Amino acid sequence: MKIARLSAILTLSILSSIGCRTMVVSTWVPSDTSQGFSTVRVLLSEATNEEKFKSSGTIEVLDANDLIIKKAYEFVSLDPTLLKAPVKITSNGDYLEYKGSRYRGIIEIKPTNGKVLIINIVNLEQYLMAVVPSEVPASWPMEALKAQAVCARTYVIREMLARKKQMYDVDTTTNTQVYLGMTKENQNTTRAVSDTQGLILLHNGAPIQSFFHSNSGGITEDPQNVWGNKVEYLKSVRSDYDKEGENYSWEEKISPAQITTSLSSLGLGEIQDIVVVNRFTTSRVNEIDIIGTKGSKRIKGTELRKLLGAVKLKSTRFGIRREDDGNFFVKGLGSGHGVGLSQWGSYAMAKENFNYREILNHYYKGIDFARMSQN
C-alpha cells in the first residue's frame, strides 16, 4: 500500500521492553529503500587554510577512489582550501580528533560552492551515544535518558530524509542537536541508546518532528505560535513537572545600552520602552511594542528573543518593565522554544517512575513506536 513520500510500510512485530513487559511496535520501512540510515553526516565546521587531525594510530588521507594521498602517524595537517575534490580521513585508531574533540567514524572534507566543509561520517547509534549526553546530563534517571535517545534518533532520521540531497544531515549545535563527540560518552547514556536501539516515533507512518527543549515553564507550546505551522501531534500540554528543573523561573536585568544595541536593526533609535501587547493561551508573548526615539514597531515575541538572544530571553513566556533606574527588568518561566518534549519535565517524570514510553506519549500525541528496518 503506497502512502505519502515520507511514509512507511508497517508490519507488526514484538519488541521486548522494560523488565518482563512487552509492547507491540511497528517496523519502519522507508518508502525510498535506496536511502540508507546506518550513518549520519555531521557538519563539524567550514575549513580554514590549515586544519589538523590527530588519532591514536595511523592516519590516512584518501582521494575519491580510496587511494592514499597522505599518510602519517597520530597527526596530520593539510590545507583544505586547495582541494578541488573531496577527500576522506581515516584512522586505524579509536578516534579522529579535530579541534579538541574526538569523533568516531571518518571525516570527509568536501569543497562546495566556494566553501570547504568538514563532515564527520559516523554510525547512527554511535552518533547518538555522543548526542544524548551532550543534550542532557548522563546522571539523569534511565527512563529520561531513553526518552531522549528515542527523540534524538527520530529527529536525526527526519533530518536525513529532508536533507538527503544536501551535503550534510545535521550540525553540532542547538540548530539541530548538540554533538560533542566521544568525550561526552557515558555508560548510562550508552545503555539508554542500546536499550532503545532502532526505536523511532511515527505519526501516520512517517517519522515525527520530535522537537524538544530544556524547560517549558509549566506548559508546552503549539508550533503554530512559534514557526507558523500547525502539527497534529505537537499539541500544547501541561508540564507541571518542570518546576523541579533549571530555568523554570528566571530573572534578567538588561541595561538600556544593551537593549538599544540588540534592537538596532529595527531602526528605532534609543529604546525607551517595551510593552507586551498580547499573549497566546500558554501565556507566551505573541506581540510586543518596541518604542524608541525614532518611532515604534510591533514585533513578535519570537523575534524579540532572536534579537536579544536566548541567554537574556530564555523563553517567550516572560514579562518586562522599565525600572526607575532605566534598566529593563525581565522575569520569565522556562527555557527554549517550548515545543515538544520538555527535557526537565522528562527528568521529573522519570523520577516519579514514568517509563520512557509514557513520557513520550505525554509530549507527543497520537504517535506510534517503530523499529527501523535499516539500522
Side-chain angles (χ1 to χ4, degrees):
M1 177 178 67
K2 292 185 178 180
I3 46 183
R5 195 173 77 179
L6 294 182
S7 66
I9 301 170
L10 303 179
T11 57
L12 289 179
S13 65
I14 301 295
L15 176 69
S16 295
S17 186
I18 303 172
C20 60
R21 290 182 293 172
T22 61
M23 68 173 176
V24 178
V25 299
S26 309
T27 298
W28 180 66
V29 183
S31 55
D32 180 6
T33 55
S34 65
Q35 182 180 5
F37 297 93
S38 60
T39 57
V40 183
R41 302 169 302 167
V42 188
L43 176 66
L44 300 182
S45 74
E46 290 185 19
T48 63
N49 59 4
E50 183 183 16
E51 297 292 359
K52 301 174 182 179
F53 303 90
K54 301 177 183 179
S55 181
S56 57
T58 300
I59 302 173
E60 295 181 343
V61 182
L62 310 174
D63 66 12
N65 297 311
D66 287 336
L67 298 175
I68 299 174
I69 56 177
K70 194 168 187 177
K71 190 172 184 177
Y73 183 68
E74 292 187 344
F75 175 84
V76 68
S77 176
L78 65 156
D79 182 355
T81 62
L82 300 177
L83 295 174
K84 303 300 181 184
V87 299
K88 290 188 293 189
I89 300 177
T90 67
S91 172
N92 61 5
D94 296 329
Y95 61 86
L96 281 167
E97 182 176 323
Y98 174 64
K99 290 186 175 180
S101 294
R102 294 181 177 183
Y103 300 100
R104 297 180 182 272
I106 67 171
I107 288 177
E108 286 191 346
I109 305 178
K110 289 188 174 184
T112 177
N113 299 324
K115 302 176 183 177
V116 182
L117 305 183
I118 297 182
I119 299 170
N120 179 208
I121 311 297
V122 59
N123 172 271
L124 170 62
E125 299 296 317
Q126 291 180 342
Y127 163 77
L128 296 171
M129 285 162 50
V131 166
V132 176
S134 298
E135 283 285 352
V136 296
S139 59
W140 276 14
M142 182 55 62
E143 296 304 300
L145 299 180
K146 289 179 182 179
Q148 186 66 46
V150 176
C151 278
R153 187 181 294 107
T154 306
Y155 183 92
V156 73
I157 292 298
R158 178 90 182 202
E159 291 297 290
M160 291 166 77
L161 285 164
R163 302 188 189 204
K164 59 184 177 181
K165 294 183 180 179
Q166 298 181 25
M167 301 292 286
Y168 60 90
D169 303 309
V170 288
D171 62 25
T172 62
T173 73
T174 54
N175 289 332
T176 55
Q177 298 188 119
V178 182
Y179 172 65
L180 301 178
M182 286 180 66
T183 51
K184 289 296 293 184
E185 290 180 18
N186 179 279
Q187 61 181 1
N188 292 339
T189 44
T190 295
R191 178 189 157 193
V193 172
S194 177
D195 285 355
T196 63
Q197 183 171 357
L199 272 181
I200 60 173
L201 304 175
L202 304 180
H203 180 77
N204 289 339
I208 71 168
Q209 293 176 297
S210 55
F211 293 120
F212 51 86
H213 58 280
S214 178
N215 191 314
S216 76
I219 186 169
T220 68
E221 186 57 276
D222 189 317
Q224 187 172 17
N225 298 337
V226 181
W227 301 298
N229 299 315
K230 196 168 186 67
V231 181
E232 187 176 349
Y233 50 82
L234 290 173
K235 301 181 185 298
S236 175
V237 299
R238 295 296 309 176
S239 187
D240 295 324
Y241 289 98
D242 286 2
K243 293 177 181 177
E244 288 195 32
E246 292 179 359
N247 293 326
Y248 174 76
S249 177
W250 50 270
E251 296 179 358
E252 286 286 344
K253 186 171 282 190
I254 312 175
S255 71
Q258 287 177 306
I259 289 283
T260 296
T261 300
S262 297
L263 305 186
S264 60
S265 61
L266 299 178
L268 301 177
E270 292 185 16
I271 304 303
Q272 303 295 299
D273 205 359
I274 298 176
V275 181
V276 174
V277 177
N278 52 63
R279 298 176 180 273
F280 297 113
T281 57
T282 59
S283 82
R284 289 180 175 82
V285 172
N286 177 17
E287 294 179 309
I288 196 162
D289 280 345
I290 312 297
I291 302 163
T293 55
K294 296 182 179 180
S296 63
K297 188 173 183 179
R298 182 165 295 182
I299 64 174
K300 291 288 189 179
T302 50
E303 184 179 353
L304 180 66
R305 186 167 184 252
K306 288 179 182 177
L307 292 171
L308 292 182
V311 174
K312 291 293 184 184
L313 203 59
K314 293 179 174 59
S315 79
T316 56
R317 199 175 184 202
F318 68 91
I320 187 169
R321 67 170 182 261
R322 190 160 193 183
E323 305 278 64
D324 292 339
D325 62 5
N327 290 314
F328 288 85
F329 175 74
V330 188
K331 186 172 184 178
L333 295 172
S335 178
H337 50 62
V339 177
L341 178 136
S342 166
Q343 291 170 322
W344 277 103
S346 172
Y347 161 83
M349 288 182 72
K351 284 184 65 178
E352 292 294 323
N353 296 318
F354 288 93
N355 63 45
Y356 74 94
R357 301 186 306 282
E358 293 168 326
I359 294 169
L360 294 169
N361 276 309
H362 176 71
Y363 289 106
Y364 308 107
K365 298 304 182 183
I367 57 167
D368 298 307
F369 288 79
R371 169 176 268 177
M372 298 170 57
S373 65
Q374 300 181 54
N375 188 35

